[in-house]
Structures are given as C-alpha cells and as structure tokens.
C-alpha cells in the first residue's frame, strides 16, 4: 500500500508515474488471510505488444547493476544531462524532489529509466516506478543516491539549478504532496483495513509526519524556492477516492 500511495500521489502532483493498482493476494497456505499486492502496468510495450526501448540509468551510464548505489544524487543529475534534454532533466529533478518529500531513501540508478521511440533519437524519462516511503517503513536511512551519506537530504540549490527545474513547479509539488498524500493514505489504508486483510494502520500517521516534516524543512532552507502558497493547495482531486483495486 505504501508504494501505491506514493505512486498515486506522484501522479496527482503532476509527475509522470506508472499506472498501478492494488489487488488481494492470499498468503501461501492460509486462504483465510490475504495481503495487498501491487500491480504495475507495463510501460515497456506499445499498444500492439511490441517492445519499447527502455533502459535504466545504470545501463545508460555504462555501470554494472551492482554499482547502482555508487553514484551521488548530484553526480547522477550531471550524468543524466548527457542523455536527457533539459525538459526531461527537469522532470527527473522534480521526481527526485518528490522522492525526498515522501522519504524515499532508495532512489538508486536502476530505479530510474529512460525510453525512446525508433523514429526519435531523444531519450525521455520513463514513468516513475518503485517510488515509496522507506522512511515511513523504517528502512535503512542511507540506501541510494546519498548526499553527504544521507539518502533523505533535500535537494540543494545547485541541484535545482543543474536540473533546469522551475521553482514554481517545486512549490506546487510540495503543496500538493503535503495536502494529498495524507488524504490518500487514510483513504487507502482505511479501505483495506477489514477482516482478512493485513495493514499497518500506524503507517497513516508516519506517512503524514514524513511528508509534512520534509516540506517544512524545504521551506526553511536558505534558498528562496519554496514558500507556502494557498493558491497552489487546491481541493483534492477525485482520484483520492476508491476504486484503487483490480477486479472490483
């Protein structure tokens, strides 16, 4: 559920994220107990089933998959600028910013990919995937793309400038994430918490705490790129309400 909440919130914040849904999966040997699993719609295929060229960042940078944690966030942005046009590099920066807000400490080189069509040599950022709150789940705090060995460090002014991103877009992402993620977490986790289903209800409070703390930290930074603005925090979209599930 945590990944679904973050992925759906990313879409509501205007990011390009893969379509995903929750589905019920019984625990092996226990038909009376189910867990929630996540189904992610494939984006590496065209509508006719033929393959689309999708390559993860580690491969594009000529790195062995085992080195997916070897590069800092700043270095990744600099290297991505070699194959992404400025508009797509801005999308990547927005995704990294969103990831820091929701507490995703596992944004490594294989969790970002680029895609291109045969008739176009330009690489575009592929839809986001594996976007979750490792901080709310209390995973190891220094996993991927660290800045000063802190995977949860917010974007710096240099990274924002390097990423060709508009401060106004970051303001909108922060305002929407702060408003929508808690609402979506309550809707998803409350809906799935019923007899026969496992869910960590405390995730709601932890996810709320994580995003609000990181947004507050971003607004306290000495760089003038985030200001609380009421005109951005519009009413929550209808997508916050169910259905969230396959086959319902």
């Amino acid at each position: 559920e945590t990944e679904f909440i973050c992925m759906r919130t990313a879409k509501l914040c205007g990011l390009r994220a893969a379509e995903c849904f929750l589905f019920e999966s019984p625990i092996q040997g226990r038909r009376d107990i189910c867990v929630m699993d996540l189904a992610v719609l494939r984006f590496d295929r065209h509508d006719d089933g033929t393959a689309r060229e999708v390559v993860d960042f580690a491969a594009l940078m000529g790195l062995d998959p085992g080195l997916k944690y070897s590069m800092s966030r700043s270095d990744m942005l600099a290297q991505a600028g070699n194959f992404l046009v400025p508009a797509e590099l801005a999308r990547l920066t927005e995704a990294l910013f969103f990831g820091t807000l929701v507490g995703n400490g596992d944004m490594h080189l294989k969790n970002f990919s680029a895609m291109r069509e045969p008739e176009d040599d330009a690489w575009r950022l592929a839809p986001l995937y594996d976007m979750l709150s490792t901080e709310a789940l209390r995973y190891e705090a220094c996993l991927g793309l660290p800045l000063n060995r802190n995977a949860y460090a917010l974007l710096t002014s240099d990274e924002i400038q390097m990423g060709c991103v508009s401060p106004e877009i970051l303001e909108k992402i922060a305002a929407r994430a702060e408003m929508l993620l808690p609402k979506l977490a309550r809707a998803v986790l409350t809906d799935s918490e019923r007899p026969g289903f496992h869910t960590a209800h405390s995730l709601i409070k932890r996810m709320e705490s994580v995003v609000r703390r990181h947004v507050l930290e971003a607004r306290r930074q000495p760089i003038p790129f985030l200001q609380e603005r009421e005109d951005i925090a519009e009413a929550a979209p209808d997508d916050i309400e169910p259905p969230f599930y396959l086959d319902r």
Side-chain angles (χ1 to χ4, degrees):
E1 293 112 328
T2 307
E3 184 173 345
F4 172 83
I5 291 165
C6 292
M7 292 281 286
R8 182 64 68 90
T9 303
K11 288 182 69 68
L12 295 175
C13 288
L15 304 181
R16 186 188 296 154
E19 292 286 351
C20 58
F21 301 91
L22 295 168
F23 67 97
E24 304 164 6
S25 178
I27 295 178
Q28 187 175 8
R30 293 291 303 274
R31 294 184 178 180
D32 59 322
I33 300 179
C34 295
V35 295
M36 287 294 181
D37 280 334
L38 186 72
V40 180
L41 299 185
R42 297 186 66 161
F43 52 81
D44 62 344
R45 293 290 185 273
H46 295 101
D47 292 340
D48 61 2
T50 58
R52 172 181 281 123
E53 187 175 13
V54 179
V55 184
D56 66 58
F57 277 18
L60 281 170
M61 295 175 188
L63 296 175
D64 184 272
L67 297 176
K68 64 183 181 180
Y69 291 111
S70 65
M71 190 174 291
S72 72
R73 190 173 62 202
S74 294
D75 289 342
M76 186 195 72
L77 278 169
Q79 291 291 324
N82 294 328
F83 54 84
L84 293 178
V85 298
E88 295 299 310
L89 188 63
R91 287 184 179 275
L92 172 61
T93 309
E94 293 162 12
L96 290 169
F97 176 67
F98 176 82
T100 64
L101 293 183
V102 301
N104 185 358
D106 199 31
M107 295 188 289
H108 55 70
L109 294 175
K110 290 188 69 64
N111 275 347
F112 293 99
S113 295
M115 54 196 291
R116 64 181 177 182
E117 304 296 342
E119 66 276 7
D120 187 3
D121 289 335
W123 288 101
R124 296 188 300 122
L125 184 68
L128 299 181
Y129 55 93
D130 289 350
M131 179 63 71
L132 73 161
S133 179
T134 58
E135 188 172 1
L137 292 170
R138 296 174 176 169
Y139 288 174
E140 174 60 43
C142 293
L143 296 174
L145 299 183
L147 179 68
N148 298 326
R149 301 192 62 80
N150 179 11
Y152 297 132
L154 297 172
L155 292 189
T156 66
S157 56
D158 289 341
E159 289 172 328
I160 293 168
Q161 185 174 11
M162 187 190 313
C164 308
V165 68
S166 162
E168 289 75 22
I169 295 297
L170 297 185
E171 291 171 359
K172 180 172 287 190
I173 291 171
R176 287 185 175 178
E178 183 181 26
M179 177 183 65
L180 300 178
L181 186 141
K183 292 183 178 181
L184 187 57
R186 286 193 295 271
V188 171
L189 295 175
T190 300
D191 186 66
S192 65
E193 189 170 28
R194 56 191 181 280
F197 284 82
H198 166 75
T199 185
H201 188 71
S202 60
L203 269 178
I204 297 175
K205 290 186 177 180
R206 292 209 300 272
M207 294 185 79
E208 288 177 344
S209 174
V210 166
V211 68
R212 285 173 176 158
R213 184 175 70 255
H214 287 311
V215 169
L216 181 61
E217 290 170 353
R219 289 179 174 139
R220 286 175 173 171
Q221 288 191 117
I223 53 177
F225 85 103
L226 273 184
Q227 299 295 328
E228 190 169 9
R229 288 168 47 182
E230 293 182 357
D231 61 311
I232 288 178
E234 64 260 20
D238 293 339
D239 287 354
I240 286 183
E241 299 302 325
F244 304 128
Y245 308 97
L246 291 175
D247 300 326
R248 279 204 188 174

